[in-house]
Amino acid sequence: MRKVAIVGGGAAGMMAAISAAQKGAEVTVLEHKERVGKKILSTGNGRCNFTNMVQEPFCYRSENIGFPWEIIEQFNAQKTIAFFLQLGIYSKNRNGYLYPNSDQASAVLDVLRMEMDRLHVKVLTETECIKIVPKKNKFTILTNKGTIQAERVILAAGSKAAPSTGSDGSGYALAKALGHRIIPVLPALVQLRCKENFYKSLAGVRVQGRVSLYIDGECMAEDTGEIQLTQYGISGIPVFQVSRYASQGLREKKEVKAVLNFMPDFTETQFTAFLKARIGMRPDKTLEEFFIGLFNKKLCSLWIKLSKIPRETSVSELSESEINRLIRLIQQFEVCVEQTNSFEQAQICCGGVSTEEVNPKTLESVYIPGLYFAGEILDVDGMCGGYNLQWAWSSGYIAGREAADDTN
């Protein structure tokens, strides 16, 4: 019976433990927190969006672009759904986003823990991995509680995002000590802090729109959905989706700007015609009255202020250039991004162990036979919507299966 040690008891580590134990391995999980799977409880706003029915290569990001998809294809969303159904999770589908029918993230964690118990996986909590020493096809793992011997090791120690849940970045030092290169680790799926001084007046506003992120004038990413305006900048799912590129641009000292379109369903020509028709229906309204029922009052007040058009102006008196000025403010609202929020607020990180140094079929180190990687520690990050958990399930399953394989 092959001895497999897994460093990290998060989503990927637990999946790796189950996968390896199903293959007959003797599995030990080393978790430095007081319990396994703590981060799962906060996913999906406590409901655990554990995968997504829409699966495409672009949903996963890495410097090594094709790498994530090779793993996802081996253990895809359908296999994930079947796996959790067997464990007891009946899923519900919300526009492609899958949740446990109970709407409780704790249910996902509970069934994983029960399955590890059923398979006799040994779990050592409050156990910190200090050093991994490979020697003659075996590993000695030094911990704060003593030494552990294993024939295979899976590093699934997470990233630096949400450190309160256990992701403190300690796994990167272990990987680096074993000869692996670390792509700079930065916050992703995170809020953006902006330069302008008007955000306090907009705090709490939620509005549908499109966010386009520009790095030194080049559009790197865009997404549409509910934008949230905060006291310091912008948030919401479309902001999260583009935030990894902002992190990278800021690290490289480049100019980072976001262009917000608060009427993305209209082309500029269509929106111009729409506003002129609206003026024609009630030409006696003031500019301040004109936007009521169309946009949030806080936003309208800001646009009017920035346009430098007196708010008591009758809309019938607006010039062509003034109408165009308002249209640009609504559809091309440019803000300067100064920084992202910290790792504490980030849902995930970009960067990590370079996937150029990991076998794309097995997740085994190309340098050290018997060493495998899974989950957030790798330079792979997914979009918002269950993709990072899908990466955890896929990479954990593959790493566990391969580590337990006696033919390897």
Side-chain angles (χ1 to χ4, degrees):
M1 184 179 289
R2 175 167 284 176
K3 291 185 177 181
V4 176
I6 300 171
V7 180
M14 287 189 287
M15 176 59 96
I18 291 168
S19 176
Q22 286 177 340
K23 289 288 185 180
E26 180 184 326
V27 182
T28 301
V29 175
L30 312 179
E31 169 55 46
H32 69 159
K33 299 295 283 187
E34 71 282 357
R35 61 181 298 185
V36 295
K38 194 172 181 180
K39 194 171 183 178
I40 290 174
L41 298 175
S42 63
T43 59
N45 292 318
R47 295 179 298 164
C48 192
N49 172 202
F50 69 91
T51 190
N52 200 301
M53 295 304 296
V54 178
Q55 293 286 333
E56 297 290 344
F58 67 79
C59 298
Y60 302 89
R61 290 87 173 255
S62 172
E63 280 204 1
N64 184 6
I65 296 172
F67 181 91
W69 195 243
E70 291 199 53
I71 300 300
I72 297 294
E73 282 192 307
Q74 292 187 62
F75 192 83
N76 57 25
Q78 287 72 27
K79 289 181 179 179
T80 296
I81 295 165
F83 171 84
F84 278 106
L85 182 61
Q86 193 171 46
L87 267 57
I89 297 295
Y90 179 75
S91 58
K92 64 170 67 172
N93 186 330
R94 291 195 180 101
N95 298 316
Y97 293 57
L98 265 67
Y99 300 82
N101 199 55
S102 64
D103 267 338
Q104 292 179 299
S106 59
V108 174
L109 176 54
D110 286 344
V111 298
L112 290 169
R113 292 173 66 184
M114 286 189 285
E115 186 67 1
M116 287 199 298
D117 286 345
R118 188 184 74 84
L119 294 167
H120 307 294
V121 172
K122 186 177 182 180
V123 178
L124 304 178
T125 56
E126 299 181 302
T127 302
E128 181 181 353
C129 180
I130 299 168
K131 189 175 182 181
I132 299 170
V133 182
K135 189 176 181 181
K136 294 182 179 179
N137 296 322
K138 290 190 177 182
F139 296 85
T140 298
I141 304 170
L142 308 180
T143 79
N144 61 323
K145 293 185 176 180
T147 301
I148 294 169
Q149 303 293 328
E151 296 166 272
R152 298 290 184 268
V153 171
I154 300 173
L155 257 181
S159 64
K160 294 175 74 172
S164 63
T165 64
S167 298
D168 63 357
S170 57
Y172 300 129
L174 294 171
K176 190 173 182 179
L178 290 164
H180 281 269
R181 181 169 66 97
I182 308 298
I183 305 296
V185 179
L186 304 167
L189 299 189
V190 70
Q191 305 87 351
L192 300 180
R193 306 183 77 90
C194 301
K195 181 178 181 180
E196 295 75 20
N197 59 9
F198 49 66
Y199 290 100
K200 286 185 179 180
S201 69
L202 300 176
V205 172
R206 294 169 178 251
V207 58
Q208 287 293 120
R210 179 181 299 127
V211 179
S212 301
L213 191 87
Y214 288 81
I215 309 293
D216 278 354
E218 180 183 358
C219 185
M220 299 300 295
E222 61 182 16
D223 198 71
T224 302
E226 185 183 75
I227 301 169
Q228 298 174 24
L229 299 165
T230 69
Q231 289 194 344
Y232 53 78
I234 54 178
S235 183
I237 289 177
V239 174
F240 289 171
Q241 303 289 41
V242 304
S243 60
R244 75 180 310 274
Y245 302 101
S247 284
Q248 292 175 329
L250 291 166
R251 180 182 177 275
E252 295 166 6
K253 308 297 184 186
K254 294 180 178 179
E255 180 186 64
V256 180
K257 291 187 176 182
V259 176
L260 312 181
N261 184 345
F262 297 104
M263 212 65 176
D265 292 339
F266 286 74
T267 65
E268 185 177 329
T269 300
Q270 290 170 334
F271 190 44
T272 301
F274 172 80
L275 288 187
K276 288 182 176 179
R278 190 176 173 88
I279 290 170
M281 288 188 286
R282 292 292 185 273
D284 55 325
K285 284 188 176 182
T286 66
L287 183 56
E288 186 173 27
E289 296 168 333
F290 176 71
F291 287 116
I292 293 174
L294 187 57
F295 297 110
N296 184 285
K297 282 186 177 182
K298 290 182 179 180
L299 270 175
C300 299
S301 181
L302 176 63
W303 294 333
I304 293 170
K305 179 181 178 181
L306 294 176
S307 74
K308 298 181 180 179
I309 304 170
R311 62 185 61 245
E312 65 274 8
T313 301
S314 171
V315 291
S316 63
E317 298 174 355
L318 290 172
S319 68
E320 196 76 23
S321 65
E322 288 174 329
I323 292 173
N324 289 337
R325 201 182 310 161
L326 290 167
I327 288 168
R328 283 194 297 273
L329 284 167
I330 296 168
Q331 289 195 303
Q332 300 173 45
F333 193 79
E334 188 175 287
V335 297
C336 181
V337 179
E338 288 190 309
Q339 57 183 302
T340 69
N341 267 355
S342 67
F343 289 113
E344 280 75 12
Q345 286 80 43
Q347 293 184 21
I348 198 76
C349 293
C350 59
V353 174
S354 172
T355 55
E356 295 282 359
E357 302 170 350
V358 179
N359 187 312
K361 299 295 184 185
T362 65
L363 294 174
E364 186 175 20
S365 166
V366 299
Y367 300 138
I368 301 173
L371 174 66
Y372 297 81
F373 297 92
E376 294 179 35
I377 194 170
L378 286 159
D379 173 36
V380 176
D381 58 289
M383 293 169 54
C384 198
Y387 296 103
N388 288 292
L389 276 177
Q390 180 59 57
W391 171 249
W393 312 136
S394 299
S395 59
Y397 182 86
I398 300 305
R401 180 192 70 189
E402 296 298 321
D405 189 351
D406 283 328
T407 65
N408 291 343

